[in-house]
Each structure stands twice: as C-alpha cells, then as structure tokens.
Amino acid sequence: MTQHTFDSYEEFWPYYVAMHSRAATRWVHLTGTLTGLAVTAYGLARGRLRYAAALPLIGYGTAWPAHFLIEKNNPATFGHPAWSLRGDAQMIRMMLAGRDAELSEIAAKWLAENG
C-alpha cells in the first residue's frame, strides 16, 4: 500500500483504523498494549524503572508482527508515529467500550473509498 499524507489527525484516523481492518489485529494490539502497561505498572510500583521499557517492547513487539502476518501491511507507526500512538489509544478505548464493530465499519468504508 502506498504512503499516504494527511493534514490532520482527524483525516488520519480512518486510515489508521483501515490498517487494522481485521479484528485479530486489533485484539493483538489491545493485548500487547495492556500487557505492556501491566508489566510497566508492576515494575514502577516495585521501584524498578527498567520495567518502563515493557510498554514499548511488549506493545510494539506484539503489534508489529500482527501487521505483517495478519493484515499483510506495514504498521502506520512507520510513517506517522505520533498520530499512530494517539490512534492506538483511541482504538483501544473504543474496543474496551464494546465498539469494535464500529471500528470494522470505519475500516471497511475507508478501504472501499481508498483501497
């Protein structure tokens, strides 16, 4: 897929969701991020600052392979790191709120219009 440019996060958001069009990819992201947060929180609560590295290592270490193996695309992080981090947080909040089907709809619409 070609590299896209965006003028705002709002314009980027549907593309970000489309790069996570498969529910399995989204759930791998959620699992990796929450596991990384849990390990980081545990380490910080114990005064072990090196555990803070768990969030990016576990989070990205699980998410990136999902893009290559499940989605067959490159992570949006590679071209848009700050917006991707924001998108990850928004996507995970929506999933935890039971709105995963809405994410599928956003992805399908963007892919139909741009794919």
Side-chain angles (χ1 to χ4, degrees), residues 30-104:
L30 178 126
T31 303
T33 299
L34 294 183
T35 301
L37 280 170
V39 172
T40 297
Y42 170 82
L44 295 176
R46 300 274 185 229
R48 298 181 180 141
L49 295 179
R50 69 181 181 273
Y51 279 58
L55 181 54
L57 291 175
I58 296 172
Y60 288 127
T62 57
W64 287 353
H67 282 280
F68 305 128
L69 300 172
I70 299 169
E71 292 287 342
K72 310 288 189 226
N73 66 19
N74 289 322
T77 306
F78 293 172
H80 307 87
W83 284 346
S84 292
L85 185 59
R86 182 176 169 188
D88 223 17
Q90 184 174 350
M91 182 176 71
I92 288 169
R93 278 193 310 272
M94 288 178 72
M95 292 174 71
L96 292 174
R99 296 171 59 195
D100 193 51
E102 185 179 339
L103 293 167
S104 291

Side-chain angles (χ1 to χ4, degrees), residues 14 17 21 26 99-112:
V17 176
S21 65
R26 293 191 298 272
R99 296 171 59 195
D100 193 51
E102 185 179 339
L103 293 167
S104 291
E105 291 171 13
I106 293 168
K109 181 178 184 219
W110 191 92
L111 289 168

